Amino acid sequence: MMNLILFGPPGAGKGTQAKRLQELFHICHLSTGDMLRQAVSEGTAVGKKADSIMKEGKLVPDSIMIDMIAERIERPDCAKGFILDGFPRTPAQAGALDKMLKSKDVSINHVIELKVDNDKLVERISNRFSCADCGASYNLITKKPLKEGVCDICSSKKMIFRPDDNAETVSKRLLAYQEMTAPILPYYAGRKLLRQVNGMAEIDEVTKQIKKLIK
Ligand code: AMP
Protein backbone atom coordinates (compact mmCIF):
# COMPACT_ATOMS: atom_id res chain seq x y z
CA MET A 1 0.00 0.00 0.00
CA MET A 2 1.06 3.56 -0.63
CA ASN A 3 -0.57 6.08 1.69
CA LEU A 4 0.33 9.73 1.23
CA ILE A 5 -0.71 13.07 2.65
CA LEU A 6 -0.13 16.26 0.68
CA PHE A 7 0.14 19.48 2.64
CA GLY A 8 0.41 23.02 1.37
CA PRO A 9 -1.59 26.24 1.35
CA PRO A 10 -4.39 26.82 -1.18
CA GLY A 11 -2.87 27.11 -4.65
CA ALA A 12 0.26 25.11 -3.79
CA GLY A 13 -0.61 22.49 -6.42
CA LYS A 14 -1.89 19.67 -4.19
CA GLY A 15 -4.81 18.80 -6.47
CA THR A 16 -2.67 18.88 -9.61
CA GLN A 17 -0.01 16.64 -8.12
CA ALA A 18 -2.53 14.32 -6.46
CA LYS A 19 -4.21 13.64 -9.82
CA ARG A 20 -0.83 12.63 -11.28
CA LEU A 21 0.10 10.44 -8.32
CA GLN A 22 -3.29 8.77 -8.51
CA GLU A 23 -2.56 7.70 -12.08
CA LEU A 24 1.03 6.70 -11.38
CA PHE A 25 0.33 4.54 -8.35
CA HIS A 26 -3.32 3.49 -8.92
CA ILE A 27 -4.33 4.81 -5.53
CA CYS A 28 -7.37 6.94 -4.71
CA HIS A 29 -7.29 10.74 -4.56
CA LEU A 30 -9.25 11.98 -1.56
CA SER A 31 -9.79 15.73 -1.89
CA THR A 32 -12.10 16.97 0.84
CA GLY A 33 -12.50 20.25 -1.06
CA ASP A 34 -13.76 18.35 -4.14
CA MET A 35 -16.06 16.23 -1.98
CA LEU A 36 -17.53 19.34 -0.38
CA ARG A 37 -17.98 21.09 -3.74
CA GLN A 38 -19.83 18.02 -4.99
CA ALA A 39 -22.03 18.00 -1.87
CA VAL A 40 -22.79 21.70 -2.47
CA SER A 41 -23.71 21.11 -6.11
CA GLU A 42 -25.92 18.15 -5.17
CA GLY A 43 -27.59 20.18 -2.42
CA THR A 44 -27.09 17.52 0.29
CA ALA A 45 -27.44 18.38 3.99
CA VAL A 46 -23.65 18.62 4.32
CA GLY A 47 -23.48 20.72 1.16
CA LYS A 48 -26.06 23.17 2.47
CA LYS A 49 -24.11 23.60 5.68
CA ALA A 50 -20.69 23.85 3.99
CA ASP A 51 -21.61 26.29 1.22
CA SER A 52 -21.54 29.53 3.20
CA ILE A 53 -18.55 28.41 5.31
CA MET A 54 -16.51 27.75 2.17
CA LYS A 55 -17.50 31.06 0.60
CA GLU A 56 -16.19 32.78 3.71
CA GLY A 57 -12.88 30.91 3.52
CA LYS A 58 -13.45 29.26 6.89
CA LEU A 59 -13.11 25.61 7.84
CA VAL A 60 -16.02 23.20 7.83
CA PRO A 61 -16.50 21.54 11.28
CA ASP A 62 -14.13 18.68 12.08
CA SER A 63 -16.88 16.12 12.77
CA ILE A 64 -18.31 16.52 9.25
CA MET A 65 -14.88 16.18 7.65
CA ILE A 66 -13.85 13.19 9.73
CA ASP A 67 -17.07 11.30 8.88
CA MET A 68 -16.61 12.16 5.22
CA ILE A 69 -13.08 10.72 5.06
CA ALA A 70 -13.94 7.68 7.21
CA GLU A 71 -16.66 6.70 4.76
CA ARG A 72 -14.65 7.42 1.62
CA ILE A 73 -11.44 5.66 2.64
CA GLU A 74 -13.32 2.35 2.94
CA ARG A 75 -14.27 2.24 -0.72
CA PRO A 76 -12.61 -0.31 -3.04
CA ASP A 77 -10.70 2.28 -5.08
CA CYS A 78 -8.59 2.95 -1.98
CA ALA A 79 -7.52 -0.70 -1.64
CA LYS A 80 -4.00 0.03 -2.93
CA GLY A 81 -3.64 3.20 -0.94
CA PHE A 82 -4.66 6.84 -0.89
CA ILE A 83 -3.51 10.42 -1.34
CA LEU A 84 -5.08 12.83 1.10
CA ASP A 85 -5.42 16.33 -0.36
CA GLY A 86 -6.87 18.94 2.00
CA PHE A 87 -7.23 16.58 4.97
CA PRO A 88 -6.24 16.63 7.82
CA ARG A 89 -6.55 20.39 8.16
CA THR A 90 -6.69 20.73 11.96
CA PRO A 91 -4.99 18.93 14.87
CA ALA A 92 -8.34 17.26 15.72
CA GLN A 93 -8.60 15.90 12.16
CA ALA A 94 -5.00 14.59 12.35
CA GLY A 95 -5.79 12.81 15.62
CA ALA A 96 -8.97 11.29 14.19
CA LEU A 97 -7.10 10.13 11.10
CA ASP A 98 -4.54 8.34 13.24
CA LYS A 99 -7.25 6.52 15.14
CA MET A 100 -9.04 5.60 11.92
CA LEU A 101 -5.88 4.19 10.34
CA LYS A 102 -4.85 2.35 13.48
CA SER A 103 -8.17 0.53 13.58
CA LYS A 104 -7.58 -0.56 9.97
CA ASP A 105 -3.95 -1.47 10.75
CA VAL A 106 -2.74 0.91 8.06
CA SER A 107 -0.05 3.57 8.29
CA ILE A 108 0.96 6.75 6.50
CA ASN A 109 4.07 6.24 4.35
CA HIS A 110 4.93 9.81 3.44
CA VAL A 111 3.76 13.32 4.21
CA ILE A 112 4.73 15.86 1.57
CA GLU A 113 4.61 19.60 2.04
CA LEU A 114 4.52 21.75 -1.10
CA LYS A 115 6.26 25.03 -0.36
CA VAL A 116 5.16 28.11 -2.35
CA ASP A 117 5.57 31.83 -1.58
CA ASN A 118 2.40 33.71 -0.66
CA ASP A 119 2.62 36.14 -3.64
CA LYS A 120 2.74 33.24 -6.04
CA LEU A 121 -0.25 31.55 -4.36
CA VAL A 122 -2.45 34.60 -4.74
CA GLU A 123 -1.41 34.97 -8.39
CA ARG A 124 -2.11 31.30 -9.12
CA ILE A 125 -5.45 31.21 -7.35
CA SER A 126 -6.81 34.36 -8.94
CA ASN A 127 -6.06 33.03 -12.42
CA ARG A 128 -7.12 29.41 -12.08
CA PHE A 129 -10.22 27.77 -13.49
CA SER A 130 -11.30 24.27 -14.35
CA CYS A 131 -13.50 22.19 -16.59
CA ALA A 132 -16.88 21.64 -14.97
CA ASP A 133 -17.23 18.25 -16.63
CA CYS A 134 -13.88 16.48 -16.14
CA GLY A 135 -12.17 18.70 -13.55
CA ALA A 136 -9.06 19.43 -15.66
CA SER A 137 -7.38 22.54 -14.30
CA TYR A 138 -6.20 25.58 -16.20
CA ASN A 139 -4.64 28.98 -15.56
CA LEU A 140 -5.24 32.21 -17.49
CA ILE A 141 -1.50 32.99 -17.50
CA THR A 142 0.41 29.73 -17.31
CA LYS A 143 -1.88 27.03 -18.68
CA LYS A 144 -4.60 28.15 -21.08
CA PRO A 145 -6.58 25.49 -22.97
CA LEU A 146 -5.26 25.00 -26.52
CA LYS A 147 -8.55 26.37 -27.87
CA GLU A 148 -10.02 29.20 -25.82
CA GLY A 149 -12.94 28.13 -23.63
CA VAL A 150 -12.70 24.46 -24.66
CA CYS A 151 -11.33 21.72 -22.43
CA ASP A 152 -8.23 19.98 -23.87
CA ILE A 153 -9.21 16.71 -22.25
CA CYS A 154 -12.97 16.30 -22.79
CA SER A 155 -13.86 19.17 -25.20
CA SER A 156 -16.44 20.54 -22.77
CA LYS A 157 -17.13 24.26 -23.04
CA LYS A 158 -18.13 24.59 -19.40
CA MET A 159 -15.25 26.30 -17.64
CA ILE A 160 -15.69 27.40 -14.04
CA PHE A 161 -13.95 29.67 -11.54
CA ARG A 162 -14.33 28.65 -7.88
CA PRO A 163 -16.48 31.11 -5.89
CA ASP A 164 -13.91 31.06 -3.07
CA ASP A 165 -11.01 31.95 -5.39
CA ASN A 166 -11.43 35.71 -4.91
CA ALA A 167 -8.84 37.96 -3.22
CA GLU A 168 -10.77 38.49 0.00
CA THR A 169 -11.59 34.81 0.60
CA VAL A 170 -8.11 33.72 -0.43
CA SER A 171 -6.48 35.77 2.31
CA LYS A 172 -8.80 34.13 4.86
CA ARG A 173 -7.98 30.68 3.50
CA LEU A 174 -4.26 31.42 3.73
CA LEU A 175 -4.74 32.52 7.32
CA ALA A 176 -6.70 29.35 8.15
CA TYR A 177 -3.82 27.33 6.72
CA GLN A 178 -1.24 29.17 8.81
CA GLU A 179 -3.25 29.06 12.00
CA MET A 180 -4.95 25.67 11.89
CA THR A 181 -3.11 23.45 9.42
CA ALA A 182 0.59 24.38 9.53
CA PRO A 183 0.72 23.53 13.29
CA ILE A 184 0.10 19.86 12.38
CA LEU A 185 3.35 19.63 10.39
CA PRO A 186 5.72 19.27 13.38
CA TYR A 187 3.65 16.28 14.45
CA TYR A 188 4.53 14.43 11.24
CA ALA A 189 8.09 15.78 11.26
CA GLY A 190 8.53 14.25 14.72
CA ARG A 191 7.51 10.89 13.26
CA LYS A 192 10.10 11.34 10.46
CA LEU A 193 7.38 11.28 7.80
CA LEU A 194 7.52 14.88 6.60
CA ARG A 195 9.34 15.81 3.36
CA GLN A 196 9.36 19.18 1.67
CA VAL A 197 9.19 19.87 -2.04
CA ASN A 198 9.65 23.16 -3.86
CA GLY A 199 6.16 23.83 -5.18
CA MET A 200 7.40 26.86 -7.13
CA ALA A 201 9.01 24.58 -9.73
CA GLU A 202 7.32 23.47 -12.98
CA ILE A 203 4.47 20.95 -12.54
CA ASP A 204 6.51 18.08 -14.09
CA GLU A 205 9.51 18.90 -11.93
CA VAL A 206 7.39 18.86 -8.75
CA THR A 207 6.00 15.43 -9.73
CA LYS A 208 9.57 14.21 -10.34
CA GLN A 209 10.69 15.43 -6.93
CA ILE A 210 7.74 13.75 -5.20
CA LYS A 211 8.37 10.47 -7.03
CA LYS A 212 12.01 10.57 -5.95
CA LEU A 213 11.00 11.03 -2.33
CA ILE A 214 8.49 8.24 -2.19
CA LYS A 215 10.29 5.54 -4.17
P1 AMP B 1 -9.80 23.15 -0.91
O1 AMP B 1 -10.40 22.73 -2.19
O2 AMP B 1 -8.95 22.09 -0.28
O3 AMP B 1 -9.08 24.47 -1.04
O4 AMP B 1 -11.02 23.38 0.10
C1 AMP B 1 -12.00 24.37 -0.15
C2 AMP B 1 -12.74 24.72 1.13
O5 AMP B 1 -13.40 23.56 1.62
C3 AMP B 1 -11.87 25.18 2.29
O6 AMP B 1 -11.58 26.55 2.22
C4 AMP B 1 -12.73 24.82 3.48
O7 AMP B 1 -13.79 25.74 3.65
C5 AMP B 1 -13.36 23.52 3.04
N1 AMP B 1 -12.54 22.34 3.43
C6 AMP B 1 -11.90 21.46 2.61
N2 AMP B 1 -11.28 20.50 3.31
C7 AMP B 1 -11.51 20.76 4.60
C8 AMP B 1 -11.14 20.14 5.83
N3 AMP B 1 -10.36 19.04 5.85
N4 AMP B 1 -11.56 20.72 6.99
C9 AMP B 1 -12.34 21.82 6.99
N5 AMP B 1 -12.73 22.46 5.89
C10 AMP B 1 -12.33 21.94 4.69
Side-chain angles (χ1 to χ4, degrees):
M1 267 190 118
M2 168 78 81
N3 299 322
L4 311 173
I5 307 180
L6 291 184
F7 276 103
K14 300 185 295 296
T16 302
Q17 295 301 328
K19 285 196 188 88
R20 292 172 159 226
L21 296 168
Q22 174 185 27
E23 278 173 23
L24 280 168
F25 297 105
H26 308 287
I27 53 184
C28 67
H29 170 202
L30 303 182
S31 157
T32 42
D34 285 350
M35 292 176 206
L36 287 168
R37 280 184 285 279
Q38 195 180 343
V40 170
S41 76
E42 288 172 358
T44 66
V46 165
K48 282 189 182 124
K49 185 149 191 206
D51 193 20
S52 56
I53 301 175
M54 292 167 80
K55 282 192 181 120
E56 281 179 60
K58 292 186 181 159
L59 294 183
V60 173
D62 287 332
S63 58
I64 294 183
M65 303 316 300
I66 292 163
D67 288 350
M68 194 175 259
I69 284 292
E71 187 270 320
R72 190 58 188 79
I73 216 163
E74 292 296 335
R75 295 202 203 156
D77 62 332
C78 296
K80 287 189 174 166
F82 55 78
I83 313 154
L84 287 172
D85 156 12
F87 185 97
R89 231 166 170 115
T90 65
Q93 292 180 17
L97 176 67
D98 266 352
K99 260 200 197 155
M100 212 184 288
L101 297 181
K102 211 169 170 189
S103 73
K104 287 163 58 74
D105 206 16
V106 160
S107 47
I108 299 290
N109 303 106
H110 304 277
V111 176
I112 293 154
E113 180 191 5
L114 298 176
K115 306 267 284 182
V116 177
D117 295 347
N118 268 10
D119 301 356
K120 188 86 185 166
L121 293 173
V122 174
E123 185 195 293
R124 280 186 186 176
I125 293 176
S126 30
N127 290 297
R128 74 179 176 183
F129 59 101
S130 62
C131 170
D133 289 322
C134 76
S137 46
Y138 298 98
N139 183 293
L140 288 173
I141 300 173
T142 54
K143 197 177 166 235
K144 285 190 189 172
L146 297 171
K147 197 170 160 207
E148 202 182 319
V150 182
C151 178
D152 294 347
I153 312 290
C154 75
S155 304
S156 166
K157 288 183 180 161
K158 260 196 277 169
M159 295 291 183
I160 43 169
F161 286 84
R162 276 171 52 173
D164 59 345
D165 276 352
N166 61 75
E168 195 193 334
T169 310
V170 168
S171 61
K172 288 189 192 151
R173 288 162 59 203
L174 289 173
L175 202 68
Y177 183 77
Q178 275 147 21
E179 288 184 346
M180 302 299 293
T181 310
I184 315 172
L185 294 171
Y187 171 63
Y188 292 110
R191 288 161 61 186
K192 307 262 180 283
L193 291 173
L194 183 66
R195 303 280 178 274
Q196 284 160 338
V197 168
N198 175 17
M200 305 278 277
E202 293 285 323
I203 295 175
D204 284 346
E205 179 58 27
V206 176
T207 311
K208 216 165 108 187
Q209 293 298 324
I210 297 176
K211 273 168 67 184
K212 218 160 93 184
L213 286 178
I214 65 185
K215 279 259 158 88

